[in-house]
């Protein structure tokens, strides 16, 4: 892979090869162009970058450690495993890297109101947090089913002063929440910035979110070079919309020796409507502003999806991943609910770290890959978030009993 290719994408219209772009109603074209122009100005503005670095360090807790998982490594008996500890970040996941970047942009643009969509609630919590910090009015759209399975996060957002709007349409999960957020944005465009939570949607969101999240890969790269004096052999990350994966992968894309594996939600197995593995049953289509791999039926209707983890439960994947998939630069596989739950427990008991169910999908793939690799090989697993939000659900699934 030549340097030039990765650095030239997306093109000026936001295309990654045949993916990406800007498929939105006319009323959103102008605000997206305005956002794009302001973002690229901010990106090259030293004062903006300095302000962002300040808050990422002083408020969010960056840099996060790259932690050697000694007991997991010994147990699996193969490659040496490092964990990228995004779970230690304020609010408990990588989402706040992007939320912080976008709120500073909203401030710069003179907006006063923030909206966002959320699945597992981690992006909602991150957004509610930065909105509280900078004194913005904030409304979060969340599917009614997700509100139920992530009750703790609903209360966190409300505690932070945000309004949470449950969405009762369709499957009542992330896709419907995004629809409602887009509807709100069209109506309130002057006052409102939409903080989209993943490397998805209409241009410039995929490139902007990737750039706000690449700090994970930039830090991990410096840290592994310091600890091991060489680059890793493999990077593993779960893929929902794709922001934690692209954030870790991006700074390594030109390093041919670094293999990358994205792990999607295999749910109950690869049968229609039982999973959210877009590269295993998805096809080319347009959804919510962008062109990518999408789970759809023969008539182009979006299929239902299933995953034990709300954060991976989405019918489409970020356009840059679609491109990297076709280039064969990144391999995409999946972990089922059962394997993710096994990995969740294993990491808790071997390392004293309870991962998010989303991140547990990456750990599950690590459990498969590490034993097949030699002891001097190095793996970095993106621990995109912590599992506090998932403990009740996981306890129920694995049958933990309340002591009597
Ligand atoms: C939201 C979330 C994900 C999935 O989103 P990506 O954009 O694919 O990273 C993964 N892990 C955690 C902890 C999350 O909160």
């Amino acid at each position: 892979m030549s340097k030039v290719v990765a650095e030239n994408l997306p093109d000026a219209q936001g295309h990654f090869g045949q993916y990406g772009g800007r498929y939105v109603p006319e009323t959103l074209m102008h605000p997206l162009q305005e956002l794009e122009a302001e973002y690229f100005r901010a990106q090259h503005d030293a004062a903006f970058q300095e302000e962002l670095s300040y808050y990422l360090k002083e408020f969010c807790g960056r840099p996060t450690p790259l932690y050697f998982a000694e007991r997991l490594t010994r147990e699996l008996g193969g490659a040496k495993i490092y964990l990228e500890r995004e779970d230690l970040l304020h609010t408990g996941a990588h989402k706040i890297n992007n939320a912080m970047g976008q709120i500073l942009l909203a401030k710069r643009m003179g907006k006063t109101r923030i909206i966002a969509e959320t699945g597992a609630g981690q992006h909602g919590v991150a957004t509610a947090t930065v909105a509280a910090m900078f004194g913005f009015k904030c409304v979060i759209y969340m599917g009614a089913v997700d509100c139920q399975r992530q009750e703790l996060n609903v209360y966190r957002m409300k505690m932070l002063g945000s309004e949470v709007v449950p969405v009762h349409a369709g499957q009542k999960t992330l896709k419907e929440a995004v629809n409602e957020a887009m509807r709100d944005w069209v109506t309130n465009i002057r006052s409102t910035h939409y903080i989209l939570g993943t490397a998805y949607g209409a241009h410039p969101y995929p490139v902007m979110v990737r750039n706000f999240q690449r700090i994970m890969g930039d830090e991990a790269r410096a840290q592994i070079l310091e600890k091991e004096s060489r680059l890793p052999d493999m990077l593993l990350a779960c893929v929902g919309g794709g922001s934690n994966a692209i954030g870790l992968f991006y700074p390594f894309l030109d390093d041919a020796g670094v293999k990358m594996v994205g792990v999607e939600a295999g749910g109950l197995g690869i049968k229609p409507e039982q999973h959210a593995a877009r590269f295993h049953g998805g096809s080319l289509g347009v959804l919510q502003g962008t062109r990518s791999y999408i789970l759809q039926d023969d008539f182009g209707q979006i299929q239902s999806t299933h995953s034990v983890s709300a954060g991976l439960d989405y019918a489409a994947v970020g356009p840059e991943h679609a491109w990297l998939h076709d280039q064969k630069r990144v391999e995409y596989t999946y972990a089922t609910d059962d394997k993710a739950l096994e990995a969740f427990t294993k990491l808790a008991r071997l390392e004293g770290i309870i991962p998010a169910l989303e991140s547990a999908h990456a750990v599950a793939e690590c459990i498969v890959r590490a034993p097949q690799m030699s002891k001097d090989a190095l793996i970095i697993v993106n621990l995109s978030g912590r599992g506090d939000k998932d403990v009740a659900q996981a306890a129920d699934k694995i049958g933990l009993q309340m002591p009597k």
Side-chain angles (χ1 to χ4, degrees):
M1 164 142 318
S2 73
K3 258 196 163 52
V4 179
V5 175
E7 278 177 8
N8 275 352
L9 289 181
D11 69 13
Q13 280 74 43
H15 294 112
F16 300 88
Q18 63 173 322
Y19 305 105
R22 191 178 269 163
Y23 296 83
V24 293
E26 223 170 309
T27 40
L28 283 181
M29 285 309 273
H30 179 67
L32 285 166
Q33 282 160 353
E34 196 177 68
L35 175 63
E36 180 191 358
E38 195 60 41
Y39 168 62
F40 285 116
R41 273 195 294 274
Q43 201 191 12
H44 299 107
D45 177 350
F48 178 86
Q49 292 303 334
E50 206 173 296
E51 191 181 17
L52 178 57
S53 299
Y54 172 83
Y55 286 115
L56 287 175
K57 173 166 181 272
E58 302 293 334
F59 183 76
C60 301
R62 301 212 74 89
T64 52
L66 185 70
Y67 178 68
F68 171 43
E70 202 175 334
R71 292 190 70 218
L72 183 65
T73 297
R74 209 181 314 141
E75 164 94 1
L76 297 176
K80 196 168 175 185
I81 301 159
Y82 281 90
L83 304 174
E84 167 63 25
R85 299 290 309 274
E86 296 300 301
D87 61 309
L88 291 177
L89 220 49
H90 182 46
T91 68
H94 69 292
K95 296 280 181 3
I96 200 159
N97 299 320
N98 167 54
M100 186 60 79
Q102 287 199 45
I103 196 100
L104 294 178
L105 204 56
K107 188 155 77 81
R108 217 178 131 94
M109 291 188 293
K111 306 285 183 184
T112 54
R113 181 174 174 269
I114 294 296
I115 57 169
E117 84 299 336
T118 196
Q122 286 303 114
H123 175 57
V125 169
T127 301
T129 297
V130 296
M133 238 182 116
F134 290 101
F136 281 75
K137 194 170 155 34
C138 181
V139 179
I140 311 283
Y141 292 94
M142 186 169 185
V145 167
D146 291 337
C147 286
Q148 250 164 28
R149 56 180 167 178
Q150 301 288 346
E151 199 183 52
L152 174 69
N153 277 342
V154 175
Y155 284 119
R156 289 168 83 194
M157 289 180 260
K158 289 171 80 82
M159 194 64 71
L160 290 158
S162 283
E163 183 188 344
V164 179
V165 180
V167 179
H168 294 279
Q171 216 189 324
K172 304 178 192 182
T173 61
L174 183 59
K175 170 166 61 69
E176 292 78 18
V178 175
N179 284 340
E180 283 310 308
M182 285 175 76
R183 211 162 289 157
D184 179 315
W185 202 29
V186 171
T187 317
N188 300 293
I189 212 93
R190 272 192 193 202
S191 64
T192 301
H193 174 63
Y194 176 12
I195 301 192
L196 205 149
T198 187
Y200 194 77
H203 182 59
Y205 282 104
V207 61
M208 177 170 74
V209 176
R210 177 249 274 161
N211 290 346
F212 284 139
Q213 291 291 6
R214 66 170 287 176
I215 189 160
M216 295 184 282
D218 287 330
E219 283 178 11
R221 193 187 166 94
Q223 287 167 322
I224 198 84
L225 286 173
E226 192 188 311
K227 287 173 200 288
E228 298 282 350
S229 306
R230 68 181 189 88
L231 292 175
D233 299 282
M234 184 179 285
L235 304 176
L236 290 171
C238 66
V239 185
S243 70
N244 87 90
I246 199 70
L248 178 66
F249 295 171
Y250 187 73
F252 296 92
L253 283 178
D254 292 323
D255 301 300
V258 181
K259 186 170 169 51
M260 302 176 194
V261 183
V263 187
E264 299 183 284
L268 301 170
I270 305 302
K271 284 162 280 185
E273 320 217 317
Q274 306 280 292
H275 66 95
R278 289 70 39 107
F279 293 116
H280 296 82
S283 52
L284 185 64
V286 169
L287 179 65
Q288 296 178 328
T290 197
R291 195 160 190 245
S292 188
Y293 276 77
I294 292 173
L295 292 167
Q296 55 192 335
D297 68 16
D298 294 343
F299 304 98
Q301 294 297 304
I302 305 309
Q303 286 181 318
S304 302
T305 49
H306 165 83
S307 170
V308 69
S309 83
L312 303 182
D313 201 351
Y314 185 61
V317 64
E320 191 162 12
H321 286 289
W323 183 77
L324 290 168
H325 168 269
D326 290 7
Q327 299 299 306
K328 299 190 164 55
R329 177 63 187 94
V330 178
E331 179 189 340
Y332 294 86
T333 182
Y334 59 87
T336 60
D337 288 356
D338 287 348
K339 292 293 171 195
L341 281 161
E342 264 176 53
F344 182 91
T345 314
K346 198 173 195 110
L347 195 71
R349 299 195 175 165
L350 281 173
E351 293 291 347
I353 298 170
I354 301 176
L357 275 174
E358 290 82 9
S359 322
H361 286 69
V363 177
E365 189 60 21
C366 179
I367 292 171
V368 175
R369 303 271 176 153
Q372 304 166 359
M373 294 164 72
S374 76
K375 289 196 177 191
D376 51 10
L378 302 174
I379 296 181
I380 297 178
V381 181
N382 199 350
L383 219 62
S384 51
R386 71 175 87 118
D388 306 30
K389 67 186 175 63
D390 301 315
V391 165
Q393 193 195 356
D396 183 49
K397 292 255 188 226
I398 64 180
L400 297 187
Q401 304 285 328
M402 214 25 142
K404 293 229 168 60

